[in-house]
Amino acid sequence: AGADSFPLSSYPMFAFGRSDAITDVHHVVAFDAAGNGRPVPPRLVANDEVLQAEVSLRRAVRGGRKTSAALCHKVAARLAGDPAWADVVHLDLLSERFDALRYFAGDTTPIKARRRARCIIPPT
């Protein structure tokens, strides 16, 4: 409670009227050679607006494999050459289902996960 962050928000305007706390989250995760992952922030997916990045991800997922792969490659191109992401070797566009109440209580393990696309960071 009281925490607001990407990809989940505790703001009441996003939770009001829901029948349960289950939510689907689409996001891009960057992986290093050892398999350690970290989320790619909205500004590298679309722009600084979290909701616009979410719409871009949702459209890519709804568009299927080709559309998901295209977005993955666009994000990979944005990361390429950026020293802050120099350790990253590939990206996954993931769809994950969470119980938001459990998530904010500390259990951040998804109920279900599906990889929509994987792409390699291009050489610079």
Side-chain angles (χ1 to χ4, degrees):
D4 184 59
S5 181
F6 179 80
L8 299 176
S9 175
S10 63
Y11 284 0
M13 66 184 176
F14 296 120
F16 179 77
R18 296 184 60 98
S19 60
D20 60 32
I22 306 301
T23 189
D24 293 318
V25 176
H26 309 297
H27 58 134
V28 179
V29 178
F31 290 90
D32 64 19
N36 300 308
R38 67 181 196 242
V40 175
R43 68 179 171 79
L44 294 172
V45 173
N47 57 43
D48 283 329
E49 295 297 325
V50 173
L51 293 178
Q52 289 178 15
E54 194 273 333
V55 167
S56 296
L57 289 161
R58 189 171 355 114
R59 285 182 180 161
V61 167
R62 286 184 181 163
R65 285 184 179 167
K66 286 178 92 173
T67 309
S68 294
L71 179 61
C72 189
H73 288 290
K74 285 181 185 176
V75 175
R78 291 181 188 127
L79 268 62
D82 183 335
W85 300 91
D87 62 327
V88 174
V89 295
H90 77 268
L91 303 177
D92 283 355
L93 193 164
L94 301 171
S95 294
E96 296 181 316
R97 179 166 289 167
F98 294 93
D99 179 318
L101 296 177
R102 285 186 9 212
Y103 184 94
F104 285 113
D107 181 2
T108 59
T109 305
I111 298 167
K112 182 179 177 182
R114 180 175 175 194
R115 183 173 59 218
R116 303 294 183 152
R118 173 172 281 177
C119 56
I120 305 301
I121 303 299
T124 55

